[in-house]
Amino acid sequence: MTDPAAAKSRPAASAPLAAARGLGIRRGGRWLLHDIDFEVARGEIVTVIGPNGAGKTTLIKALLGLIEPSRGRIERGASVSIGYVPQRLHVDWTLPLTVDRLMTLTRRAAPDAIAAALQEAGVGHLAGSPVQELSGGEFQRMLLARAIVARPDLLVLDEPVQGVDYSGEIALYELIAELRDRLSCGVLLVSHDLHVVMKATDRVVCLNGHVCCTGEPRDVARDPEYLRLFGARGAEAVAIYTHSHDHEHGIDGEVIGPGHAHRHDHGHLDDHGHGHGHAHPGGPPAGA
């Protein structure tokens, strides 16, 4: 769980690490994104939520420089380094691949840096284990370790809790907050999970081709545009979010543990993450 003292010591928001200014992405004769303005500063978690087809992954790709804007621009600090956890990582499960080997497939890193990153992600004991034998939660933690091995300024996480059970989701969101504090980095997180993310984030951007609403979680949870977009699911998330604030006395952003008597389910918006939620198709079963 995030240390309140560490949270209080986080640096105040300064110049953004990355930002979109009037961003538009047009493909196949239609606008996937238009008029997008948002930014991520050091020390904050910004969560992008929205239904399938809302343009969340397109936004991430533009931020990473993988696709060119059709309009507007992406701004990144000249020396800003980015760690990235993709929505899916396709692995050939017939290859004899260990965790420490996967950590170096796309980027060189010193053995001590790899060991430290795995330890921080809570999977240091799995360094020599076959990737094929990892649970869903262990696999996602390994991906987080890959993202932080170079000590990035900004962590970009595209649905980082796919294939993980509910208690595992809570633990991963807590870990992300801890890494934000430990690395003094910014975090841009994409998720369908309204119930837990509302507690784990500093600022929410509700996306559906454009920014429907944005702000602190409590404000977004009550915004008419948010409720219109998510309907009954949105109303349920609002009730859970408000209820948890009424009964908790910790700092904002602390995630309620699985033993909370009034937390019932996490309910994704659709079957994304249920039918094919595992981040590595054909791999190990979901779990924490």
Side-chain angles (χ1 to χ4, degrees):
M1 187 171 292
T2 303
D3 181 0
K8 289 178 181 178
S9 67
R10 290 198 300 269
S14 54
L17 297 168
R21 308 296 187 196
L23 178 69
I25 305 291
R26 185 176 176 85
R27 295 291 185 272
R30 68 185 185 94
W31 289 98
L32 305 181
L33 295 172
H34 64 90
D35 303 314
I36 303 295
D37 289 284
F38 87 101
E39 59 187 40
V40 186
R42 189 178 300 279
E44 68 173 348
I45 298 176
V46 176
T47 298
V48 178
I49 61 173
N52 280 343
K56 301 185 300 295
T57 297
T58 299
L59 176 61
I60 294 298
K61 289 180 177 179
L63 183 75
L64 295 173
L66 301 177
I67 57 177
E68 287 292 323
S70 306
R71 178 184 296 168
R73 67 189 186 277
I74 293 291
E75 297 177 353
R76 289 186 299 273
S79 60
V80 170
S81 59
I82 297 177
Y84 175 48
V85 173
Q87 187 177 111
R88 294 180 183 85
L89 181 65
H90 297 285
V91 175
D92 185 345
W93 298 107
T94 65
L95 294 177
L97 193 64
T98 60
V99 168
D100 50 4
R101 174 60 180 144
L102 184 58
M103 292 282 289
T104 62
L105 280 184
T106 57
R107 174 187 295 176
R108 289 186 178 182
D112 57 343
I114 292 173
L118 288 171
Q119 192 67 34
E120 286 180 299
V123 287
H125 61 294
L126 297 174
S129 300
V131 172
Q132 295 92 330
E133 296 180 3
L134 301 182
S135 71
E138 289 168 344
F139 190 87
Q140 293 305 110
R141 284 172 178 266
M142 180 198 64
L143 294 183
L144 274 171
R146 289 179 79 242
I148 66 171
V149 70
R151 323 307 287 179
D153 301 298
L154 175 63
L155 272 175
V156 178
L157 313 174
D158 195 351
E159 304 210 26
V161 298
Q162 288 194 90
V164 181
D165 63 25
Y166 179 50
S167 61
E169 287 186 12
I170 293 174
L172 277 168
Y173 283 128
E174 288 179 336
L175 174 61
I176 289 166
E178 290 168 4
L179 291 173
R180 179 267 310 270
D181 293 337
R182 191 175 301 133
L183 301 178
S184 188
C185 66
V187 177
L188 178 63
L189 189 153
V190 169
S191 181
H192 278 89
D193 191 333
L194 305 180
H195 297 163
V196 181
V197 166
M198 282 294 187
K199 291 286 291 178
T201 190
D202 299 304
R203 186 154 47 89
V204 176
V205 177
C206 185
L207 191 70
N208 191 24
H210 66 287
V211 176
C212 302
C213 54
T214 185
E216 294 183 0
R218 181 185 292 272
D219 297 329
V220 170
R222 296 189 174 105
D223 192 285
E225 283 296 306
Y226 167 84
L227 295 173
R228 182 188 63 78
L229 183 62
F230 292 111
R233 291 284 191 183
E236 184 184 359
V238 170
I240 292 175
Y241 181 78
T242 303
H243 180 85
S244 64
H245 265 275
D246 289 343
H247 287 76
E248 286 222 339
H249 303 285
I251 61 168
D252 285 347
E254 180 177 338
V255 179
I256 293 178
H260 191 276
H262 300 280
R263 169 93 56 194
H264 302 294
D265 64 342
H266 63 287
H268 294 273
L269 290 174
D270 49 38
D271 62 357
H272 186 85
H274 288 294
H276 60 280
H278 209 282
H280 41 297

